[in-house]
Amino acid sequence: MKFWQIYKEATKQQKIRWMKKWGLIVSGCFALSFVGLLLLAKLMGPPALLVPQTTIMYAADGSKMGEINNGGQNRYWIPLEKIDKNVIDATISIEDKSFYKHNGFDMKRIGGALLADIKAGAKVQGASTITQQYARNLFLTHEKSWRRKFQEAFYTLRLEMSYSKDEILEGYLNTIYYGHGSYGIQSASRYYFGKDAEELSLSEATMLAGIPKGPSYYSPILHEENAKKRQSIILNAMAEDGTIKKTTVQKAASAPLTYVREEEEEIATVAPYFQDAVMRALKKELNVNTNSIQFGGLRIYTTLDPKMQEAAEHTVENRIIDNSSIQTALVAMDPRSGDVKALIGGRDFEQSSFNRALQAKRAPGSTFKPFLYYTALEHGYTASTPIKSEPTTFAMGDGVGDYKPKNFKNRYANDFITMAQALALSDNIYAVKTNLYLGPKKLVKTAKKFGIKSELASIPSLALGSKAVGVLELTNAYGVFANGGKKVEPVFITKITDSKGKVLYEHKYESKQVIDENKAFVMTDLLAGTFDEKLNDYTSVTGSSINHYLTRPMAGKSGSTPNDSWMVGYSPQLVTGVWVGYDNNEELHDVNDTGYSKRIWAYFMESALKNKEILSFEQPEGVTAVTINPQNGKLATESCPVTRISYYEKGTEPVEYCDEHGASSEIKAKLEQKKEEKGFFKRIFSW
């Protein structure tokens, strides 16, 4: 009150001096505040550009196989050079003509907007620059308050001080909302026109540039008339700025546009169970957190072969009758690298997302026998080692009841059979006798070498696959045979980058020699015998029902329990495991149920490798080929009605000739001479 009284009584000159004085004080305060604000902005450095972005998965051929986004918000980040120049020019012309001239704030435009608002008595004109809008999109809400305005100004300062104009413009175009769940120009280009942002025409570019002003009001899909008027304004603004010729305005404005609404088209999900496996690998093996996956704009490059995946899905769909509730799982890998090429975890992902290829564990039956017979090779067995196949009861002792395994349909040779025959016929008696002779602990140890991580037990029935394993681990274990004794780990992800291409992770391929190369090849020959009818004359080999489908070198083994049916096998470049059974562990119903796995495996292998080079298994130097009589494993003579080339480690091949079909005295003489010569050289050159 006293101040105003003094002011009223003061002379005019005194009032002027006071006004100047206080004006200087206020101006100084504003100047100091502004300088302080600049210093604070500089000290705080660049604001973190935490922009939610859509994560994309790619197949091995570079095709897009899936996306992970935030609640339907499609966001992709592309560099400025990948954005059509018309989009850039149109955006600057309509949003911020002086973008490259100002420092974040267009003072002339702000003054004009204030004047227009005062005249209208309301807020009728905006003055936000591209940098201000970018700051608001990144860090703030769209509420209208002085607090929000101050925060926007502060973030604008920090952006302008820390990033170049091109970086700011790139960020703006990648984050602005274009309606219909599309954030950023790439997402908008894909949604409205089904093309990349660098492929847009002038007409398409100017149509999109008008949408951010009001994403619903200017949507060409919802309000085409409004959108066309906005497009015309933008084209004329570009002509005034000199970025296009005036003669092109009308042509671009009248050009017909086709809207594809890509996101709303029903797009088939590619390999959903494989994508589930990728997600599991991201979280469990690579320790990528969920937020990074959902919002980080990652580019995930996978091992999936789309053609093989399609072949797998087509085979399963066409080999199992529609009204059956039976389930299946399939894993196909390159045994040389570990790359998983195809994966099926069930018959319908929408009905059941339970991934049986990764999560289920079932008894593998006779598909476990190759690990037993490899163990046997390590302890002196060969493909020709004979054991009698007949109904046998094993007295276990130590309070354990007698064990009486049976052969399928109670078929026995009631005679001696070779190990090659035992594997081809899946003879259970031979397997259990071998397991007990070697000691069950040795089989457990061998299985672990091959990468079987499931819990096993040192029991006689382990030879018959009585303990549950997973489809992926069993398939990968067979890959050791195909890969010359080297073990690799299954690979789903080869590389991960951020949205700008910076490599965040790259898989390093490694292999480890875990079993002997020579014995691995011998086992491959034994497993190829499951498709060879020459190996037996009293019952069919286990692969006889599918061997006529196979057109290239293959090796494999089927297996079954009352509840499960398996087939696992390989060529030199592909190993595949198939399981078929019921989720509730009910028994298989009929021959169809038990035959599915083998038919699916055979059809898939042939289809997947159809246009691939036919490769043979590479024979190591330590292995020799011998012509034998497959019925007894002895060296064949001219009198043998059936012969087969079999493989042995050098020094373990049979030396006894078959004499069951009247071997000539000449052959017998040669054999005796060979024995004598061998003995002579051993005596002379014993050193």
Side-chain angles (χ1 to χ4, degrees), residues 455-495:
E455 187 176 344
L456 303 175
S458 302
I459 53 177
S461 64
L462 183 61
L464 310 183
S466 60
K467 290 297 179 180
V469 297
V471 180
L472 178 62
E473 68 175 334
L474 187 59
T475 304
N476 192 49
Y478 267 65
V480 176
F481 291 128
N483 197 28
K486 297 183 183 73
K487 184 169 77 74
V488 296
E489 293 300 325
V491 181
F492 291 95
I493 301 168
T494 58
K495 186 172 68 173

Side-chain angles (χ1 to χ4, degrees), residues 24 42 75 84 124 137 141 160 189 277 279 410 464 540 566 569 653 659 674:
L24 286 170
K42 189 67 176 176
R75 300 171 180 264
D84 180 70
V124 295
N137 292 338
T141 66
E160 287 281 347
S189 299
M279 292 294 290
N410 287 312
L464 310 183
S540 298
W566 293 76
E653 65 271 22
D659 57 2
K674 186 175 181 181

Side-chain angles (χ1 to χ4, degrees), residues 82-376:
K82 290 285 187 179
I83 301 174
D84 180 70
K85 190 175 184 300
N86 288 318
V87 172
I88 295 170
D89 292 339
T91 300
I92 291 174
S93 288
I94 197 63
E95 296 292 343
D96 190 355
K97 290 180 184 292
S98 303
F99 172 70
Y100 280 100
K101 298 175 183 176
H102 61 65
N103 293 314
F105 305 95
D106 189 339
M107 304 311 295
K108 184 178 178 182
R109 193 175 175 192
I110 290 172
L114 283 171
L115 188 60
D117 291 350
I118 291 169
K119 286 181 179 179
K123 187 171 176 58
V124 295
Q125 187 172 315
S128 292
T129 63
I130 283 176
T131 312
Q132 287 175 280
Q133 293 181 57
Y134 184 35
R136 186 166 60 241
N137 292 338
L138 284 176
F139 310 112
L140 306 169
T141 66
H142 288 263
E143 67 170 326
K144 294 181 179 180
S145 68
W146 285 108
R147 182 175 179 273
R148 200 271 293 163
K149 278 289 184 185
F150 175 79
Q151 290 176 321
E152 179 185 300
F154 185 61
Y155 277 116
T156 299
L157 278 175
R158 292 178 66 192
L159 287 171
E160 287 281 347
M161 292 172 75
S162 305
Y163 299 99
S164 69
K165 285 290 187 180
D166 282 350
E167 287 174 326
I168 292 170
L169 182 59
E170 179 182 302
Y172 172 81
L173 288 170
N174 278 293
T175 55
I176 197 72
Y177 184 50
Y178 288 90
H180 301 280
S182 296
Y183 288 81
I185 188 63
Q186 175 69 359
S187 177
S189 299
R190 297 299 308 170
Y191 174 77
Y192 289 100
F193 300 115
K195 58 177 66 174
D196 291 328
E198 62 181 337
E199 300 171 344
L200 294 168
S201 67
L202 174 61
S203 183
E204 292 166 340
T206 50
M207 179 60 74
L208 291 180
I211 296 174
K213 175 77 173 176
S216 295
Y217 188 76
Y218 291 113
S219 165
I221 292 171
L222 300 177
H223 303 289
E224 188 173 17
E225 186 178 347
N226 297 343
K228 293 296 289 182
K229 288 179 181 178
R230 179 78 172 158
Q231 181 194 38
S232 182
I233 292 170
I234 293 171
L235 285 165
N236 283 302
M238 292 175 73
E240 288 176 12
D241 294 340
T243 54
I244 61 171
K245 295 179 179 179
K246 290 184 178 180
T247 53
T248 64
V249 171
Q250 186 55 41
K251 183 179 178 181
S254 59
L257 297 176
T258 302
Y259 305 105
V260 300
R261 302 171 71 175
E262 184 180 83
E263 180 199 316
E264 295 179 10
E265 291 181 353
E266 188 174 344
I267 302 172
T269 302
V270 178
Y273 287 105
F274 184 93
Q275 290 193 41
D276 172 70
V278 170
M279 292 294 290
R280 291 173 184 275
L282 284 170
K283 295 175 183 177
K284 293 183 178 180
E285 296 173 22
L286 304 182
N287 297 316
V288 180
N289 63 57
T290 302
N291 283 341
S292 295
I293 296 170
Q294 292 183 340
F295 310 121
L298 303 177
R299 302 295 181 262
I300 302 168
Y301 298 89
T302 76
T303 58
L304 182 83
D305 184 317
K307 290 182 179 178
M308 286 193 185
Q309 180 67 29
E310 185 179 357
E313 292 173 358
H314 179 78
T315 301
V316 168
E317 184 179 347
N318 287 277
R319 294 297 154 194
I320 299 179
I321 57 176
D322 292 337
N323 60 357
S324 174
S325 61
I326 204 167
Q327 283 293 347
T328 188
L330 178 150
V331 174
M333 303 170 57
D334 186 332
R336 301 163 296 187
S337 64
D339 287 354
V340 179
K341 297 295 187 179
L343 185 143
I344 291 176
R347 293 176 64 192
D348 191 326
F349 187 80
E350 290 185 5
Q351 288 187 5
S352 171
S353 61
F354 180 66
N355 197 331
R356 296 156 188 85
L358 304 181
Q359 294 174 275
K361 291 196 175 186
R362 305 293 287 256
S366 293
T367 56
F368 207 75
K369 288 176 180 175
F371 310 125
L372 169 70
Y373 293 130
Y374 177 82
T375 309

Side-chain angles (χ1 to χ4, degrees), residues 548-570:
H548 57 288
Y549 296 121
L550 307 181
T551 61
R552 59 179 66 223
M554 298 272 195
K557 184 74 185 76
S558 61
S560 62
T561 73
N563 313 87
D564 306 278
S565 177
W566 293 76
M567 180 68 202
V568 189
Y570 53 92

